[in-house]
Amino acid sequence: MIQLNVNGKPVQVDVAPDTPLLWALRDTLQLTGTKYGCGQALCGACIVHMDGAPVPSCSIPVSAAAGRKITTIEAVATNRVGKVVQEAWRKLDVVQCGYCQSGQIMSAVALLSKNRKPSDADIDQAMAGNLCRCATYVRIRAAIHEAAKALA
Ligand code: FES
Ligand code: FES
């Protein structure tokens, strides 16, 4: 059994220690908002927060998440930054197919949590690991600026 803290709650998962965190979240805990894309830390679909920092959950063994605070898209709106980002996403109708958007939002929230006034360059850098096949990049950047305004 591996003891995790997910979305503010202690949980136990009965999986091998080298199981990727993504599968513990999706298959064991049924937190299916976090998506699988590449499995190789290349696309950002699986990003969650570990102690507030964005990490690709496909490439983190669940044993490395023990004792750390994991936050998934399901709980992102429980803090102010997450709520504001979610509202900006809705207001600007960012989502197209939606597949990449959990990861996009997790990266955006991590950025705005440490930088309330990101420049375009800051945004491009912070979001570089999140790919979107539908190419919603322009709306993502606009929504991050919109959220930054709301947080000011
Ligand atoms: S599925 Fe994890 S980065 Fe692509
Ligand atoms: S919205 Fe379709 S992949 Fe990003």
Side-chain angles (χ1 to χ4, degrees), residues 22 35-47 56-59:
L22 174 64
K35 303 302 186 205
Y36 171 74
C38 63
Q40 297 177 52
L42 296 172
C43 75
C46 67
I47 285 181
S57 60
C58 69
S59 301

Side-chain angles (χ1 to χ4, degrees), residues 121-136:
D122 295 335
I123 293 173
D124 290 349
Q125 196 187 6
M127 304 303 290
N130 289 87
L131 306 183
C132 176
R133 283 191 164 221
C134 303
T136 59

Side-chain angles (χ1 to χ4, degrees), residues 77-148:
T78 52
N79 78 34
R80 179 154 179 262
V81 177
K83 201 168 163 40
V84 166
V85 167
Q86 216 176 44
E87 279 161 8
W89 243 246
R90 278 201 201 105
K91 186 172 167 193
L92 299 194
D93 210 3
V94 170
V95 175
Q96 198 162 315
C97 83
Y99 199 82
C100 72
Q101 298 291 332
S102 307
Q104 303 280 5
I105 287 175
M106 297 312 283
S107 291
V109 171
L111 167 65
L112 286 165
S113 298
K114 56 178 183 28
N115 180 355
R116 291 294 165 101
K117 272 194 180 178
S119 63
D120 283 348
D122 295 335
I123 293 173
D124 290 349
Q125 196 187 6
M127 304 303 290
N130 289 87
L131 306 183
C132 176
R133 283 191 164 221
C134 303
T136 59
Y137 301 112
V138 174
R139 293 202 298 273
I140 287 169
R141 192 196 265 179
I144 293 173
H145 282 306
E146 175 77 23

